[in-house]
Amino acid sequence: NRGEIKNGSILRLTTSPDQEAERLYSGIQSNNSDVKTDSLKKLASLSQDVTFAQEFINRNGLKQIFYIVEEGNEVLGSAGSLPAGEMLAHTLKAFMELMEHDFVSWETLSAAFIKKIVSYVNMNVVDASVQQLSLSILENMVPTSRLLFELVRKEVTLDRLLTHLQVTNAQLQLKAMALLIALLLAATDAERRDMMDYLREKNIRQFIHKNIIHSSEPLGDEMAHYLYVLQSVSLNLCERRMRTSMDPYSQEQRELLQSLRQTAFESESEAAASNFSTERRRSLCAKEFRKLGFTNNSNPAEDLRRAPPGLLALDNMVYFSRHTPNAYSRFVLENSSREDKHECPFARSSIQLTLILCEILHVGEPCSETAQAFYPMFFGQDHFFEELFCICIQLVNKTWKEMRATQEDFDKVLQVVREQITRTLSLKPTSLELFKTRVNALNYSEILKLRQTERRLPPVLSPQDVLELAFSIVYDVEEYCLNFIAPTRYEFCLWTDGLNVLLGKEMTSERTQTDLDVLLSMELKLRLLDLEN
């Protein structure tokens, strides 16, 4: 790389990589524990250098590192064995740095070595730095092969990782989270679903919300990224339902659909329907599905054939009707008693809203490798997606009334609702309750005000004013000109004077004269001050 060295660069003379590699290769085999520890410490530092790493690996140095780890039995964190703990930490650090260069495959690691690393993660009394490095090694190992993933998943239980997450040592917490995320990302869909179900049972969300997001320590970029991934993986569990169309022949799905109708109209229709003929009963059902806001009221399943949002929209409607039955009944009954053209269609709105929420929350999209944008309120709530839907579907009804909308305004209303949701989410509310308060405060007239402010429309000018503020740039080369109208007289002067200067002409505006007057009077005052002295 001599050609890359610039004149004036300061060169530092150091031992050549091959000599240093040879010296440390001998040093880490020394029987003197001080020499061995110092050699391992130096090795951990120098292994970041690719040339040195290659020289050391070529000498079969990794074999020696494996030997130190596999034979190390006295690495517990008690005071008496601290040097051994320190020695092991340097060994693991050196191993991590050497593996970073990709000269050696992770799959070549021996079962004994992996077993030892796993044991450091699973033991209770181990030097904290050793546990952090062991977690890091496993995290790097997991994505490289299916075999290693299965091995780590079997040996390091989710319970063990949750124990590490609950320590006060922020670095250890971070490395445990990193391994958990690596396992989730390497898992199959079915495995991921099982793991997430187990984590939900163990209340991981509430723990993260309370002890990580709201801890006294500021959240680092790395942890923010892991929380984003955890949120993304969790929301992507909705993808399967989102991409599945309704099957009109599925008994279970038909029952869910009928439950919506029964919850809303049960008291008034069931008693009457018992005396009706089949035809009459069918006609009554169709009428009720129309009141529910289905477009295809004789066969409402057709409305749910579009995927996305597919069955996820049905799940959301059923969740809303079961968990907030009063709000659900109020929505449906209020709109079925309005004039036809002003009613807000519950089902049609729910289907579109579900699609909007999927787009805003990136459901079904792969995780970004760098993003850190998670929503703190996501971790404060089980059934986050469904609960968010319950708030937002009531917002649709509220905004519909504020806009005095008719069926023709459907898309316009949903566009406003999308804006209300995204603007509120950008404020990063810490709980769904706070989101609900803020999104409801951001009513239609507020949205209009914000749009108006952001457009920054210039004031409307009368024709006489326009002539005072208009100027043009005319090109010599071709018959073409650019016409301008300045928003104020001051800006008109700035532009015309500026353009004249660029053309080598005199500045002619009245602003020039006033500026000149100020400067001249200032100069005069300075000269008079000089005289007084």
Side-chain angles (χ1 to χ4, degrees):
N1 65 350
R2 282 181 191 178
E4 295 167 27
I5 299 170
K6 293 185 176 68
N7 257 350
S9 295
I10 295 174
L11 299 183
R12 186 167 51 84
L13 293 179
T14 178
T15 324
S16 67
D18 58 332
Q19 283 191 33
E20 197 66 270
E22 186 59 54
R23 198 170 65 77
L24 292 180
Y25 181 69
S26 305
I28 64 173
Q29 296 176 66
S30 168
N31 291 326
N32 179 326
S33 68
D34 287 345
V35 172
K36 192 172 185 172
T37 304
D38 283 346
S39 300
L40 285 164
K41 187 176 182 178
K42 190 105 189 267
L43 177 65
S45 160
L46 287 178
S47 295
Q48 295 172 26
D49 180 85
V50 66
T51 319
F52 171 83
Q54 197 154 22
E55 290 288 350
F56 185 78
I57 288 169
N58 289 346
R59 282 171 174 69
N60 219 351
L62 276 173
K63 192 176 178 186
Q64 278 308 312
I65 287 181
F66 293 152
Y67 179 77
I68 294 169
V69 173
E70 287 167 19
E71 297 304 309
N73 295 320
E74 66 301 353
V75 193
L76 301 182
S78 59
S81 60
L82 243 173
E86 188 190 351
M87 189 188 291
L88 183 65
H90 293 319
T91 310
L92 296 180
K93 179 85 171 78
F95 170 75
M96 278 288 292
E97 295 295 351
L98 291 167
M99 292 302 281
E100 279 290 308
H101 302 294
D102 284 337
F103 293 133
V104 182
S105 164
W106 286 89
E107 293 174 68
T108 56
L109 302 184
S110 71
F113 178 82
I114 295 171
K115 218 170 191 158
K116 208 75 182 175
I117 299 295
V118 165
S119 74
Y120 299 143
V121 171
N122 286 337
M123 283 155 79
N124 286 325
V125 273
V126 177
D127 193 73
S129 57
V130 170
Q131 283 199 322
Q132 284 170 36
L133 286 158
S134 301
L135 285 163
S136 271
I137 289 169
L138 296 181
E139 176 215 340
N140 282 283
M141 203 187 287
V142 163
T144 56
S145 84
R146 179 71 195 166
L147 199 70
L148 290 175
F149 160 76
E150 285 172 348
L151 180 73
V152 174
R153 187 181 170 215
K154 180 167 163 274
E155 297 294 336
V156 182
T157 62
L158 289 179
D159 278 335
R160 188 66 203 157
L161 286 179
L162 290 172
T163 306
H164 284 311
L165 271 181
Q166 290 169 32
V167 296
T168 48
N169 181 332
Q171 272 305 306
L172 191 55
Q173 205 178 49
L174 184 68
K175 299 300 176 194
M177 182 64 92
L179 178 54
L180 174 63
I181 295 300
L183 286 166
L184 281 168
L185 291 177
T188 63
D189 286 349
E191 288 166 341
R192 196 176 299 128
R193 196 171 285 279
D194 288 345
M195 289 166 79
M196 290 303 289
D197 285 345
Y198 186 78
L199 292 172
R200 192 180 300 119
E201 276 173 37
K202 295 287 177 181
N203 294 329
I204 188 171
R205 276 196 197 179
Q206 288 86 326
F207 172 78
I208 288 171
H209 195 253
K210 185 178 163 205
N211 296 12
I212 295 180
I213 296 173
H214 292 297
S215 83
S216 52
E217 295 296 311
L219 203 65
D221 290 351
E222 213 177 331
M223 183 60 92
H225 173 67
Y226 295 141
L227 294 183
Y228 152 80
V229 175
L230 195 57
Q231 169 185 291
S232 187
V233 165
S234 186
L235 286 169
N236 279 351
L237 295 178
C238 300
E239 183 182 8
R240 194 173 60 182
R241 296 289 279 182
M242 177 186 85
R243 298 203 188 282
T244 309
S245 300
M246 179 157 182
D247 174 8
Y249 301 107
S250 156
Q251 180 68 25
E252 181 206 356
Q253 291 171 26
R254 286 213 314 272
E255 282 171 6
L256 286 175
L257 199 54
Q258 288 299 333
S259 76
L260 288 174
R261 186 185 61 79
Q262 287 158 354
T263 307
F265 305 110
E266 191 168 23
S267 52
E268 59 182 84
S269 64
E270 296 306 309
S274 56
N275 308 318
F276 291 165
S277 64
T278 311
E279 193 55 46
R280 185 86 188 277
R281 198 176 292 134
R282 192 175 291 137
S283 155
L284 181 68
C285 283
K287 186 181 170 191
E288 287 173 348
F289 276 121
R290 189 187 64 73
K291 285 182 178 179
L292 272 175
F294 282 94
T295 314
N296 194 324
N297 45 58
S298 58
N299 184 11
E302 278 299 311
D303 286 28
L304 292 156
R305 292 297 287 273
R306 182 176 62 145
L311 288 173
L312 191 58
L314 179 61
D315 295 342
N316 280 337
M317 288 190 274
V318 171
Y319 186 93
F320 180 53
S321 71
R322 288 179 181 171
H323 289 80
T324 49
N326 291 346
Y328 171 66
S329 299
R330 193 162 56 245
F331 189 126
V332 175
L333 298 175
E334 183 182 297
N335 284 293
S336 58
S337 61
R338 267 189 211 168
E339 291 176 56
D340 267 5
K341 58 175 186 162
H342 282 294
E343 62 193 26
C344 176
F346 169 72
R348 188 183 171 199
S349 301
S350 297
I351 293 165
Q352 191 58 28
L353 176 63
T354 301
L355 186 63
I356 287 171
L357 290 177
C358 288
E359 287 169 1
I360 291 172
L361 299 172
H362 306 290
V363 175
E365 292 178 27
C367 294
S368 150
E369 288 181 16
T370 52
Q372 300 165 8
F374 70 93
Y375 298 113
M377 66 177 181
F378 169 82
F379 292 95
Q381 183 72 51
D382 271 332
H383 304 291
F384 171 78
F385 194 87
E386 296 90 336
E387 290 289 338
L388 183 65
F389 172 85
C390 291
I391 292 168
C392 294
I393 193 64
Q394 294 175 76
L395 175 71
V396 172
N397 192 33
K398 175 176 172 285
T399 304
W400 186 280
K401 288 188 280 189
E402 287 166 359
M403 291 175 71
R404 298 187 178 85
T406 62
Q407 294 294 328
E408 289 79 58
D409 301 316
F410 181 82
D411 292 336
K412 195 174 161 190
V413 174
L414 270 291
Q415 193 53 49
V416 171
V417 169
R418 179 194 282 269
E419 199 175 325
Q420 289 168 316
I421 296 168
T422 47
R423 282 180 185 274
T424 307
L425 284 176
S426 69
L427 302 171
K428 293 281 176 87
T430 48
S431 68
L432 265 178
E433 212 41 59
L434 197 55
F435 171 83
K436 184 178 181 178
T437 307
R438 285 185 169 170
V439 83
N440 282 315
L442 193 60
N443 55 34
Y444 180 52
S445 60
E446 284 297 315
I447 289 285
L448 288 181
K449 276 185 211 163
L450 286 166
R451 284 177 178 177
Q452 192 73 17
T453 312
E454 283 160 14
R455 279 187 198 133
R456 294 251 180 270
L457 296 171
V460 178
L461 301 168
S462 65
Q464 264 71 30
D465 289 335
V466 168
L467 291 174
E468 290 287 301
L469 300 174
F471 62 95
S472 298
I473 296 176
V474 184
Y475 293 97
D476 287 339
V477 193
E478 49 188 302
E479 285 185 21
Y480 185 72
C481 61
L482 274 173
N483 301 313
F484 294 85
I485 300 172
T488 63
R489 186 71 198 166
Y490 172 63
E491 286 187 50
F492 171 84
C493 294
L494 285 180
W495 275 78
T496 50
D497 283 343
L499 290 166
N500 277 325
V501 168
L502 291 172
L503 292 167
K505 296 181 180 175
E506 285 289 312
M507 291 189 279
T508 53
S509 79
E510 70 267 19
R511 186 83 206 180
T512 307
Q513 203 48 54
T514 53
D515 281 358
L516 213 53
D517 291 345
V518 170
L519 290 168
L520 287 171
S521 67
M522 207 179 285
E523 192 183 11
L524 196 63
K525 283 173 186 168
L526 287 169
R527 285 187 180 179
L528 286 169
L529 279 173
D530 247 7
L531 287 174
E532 281 175 13
N533 256 349

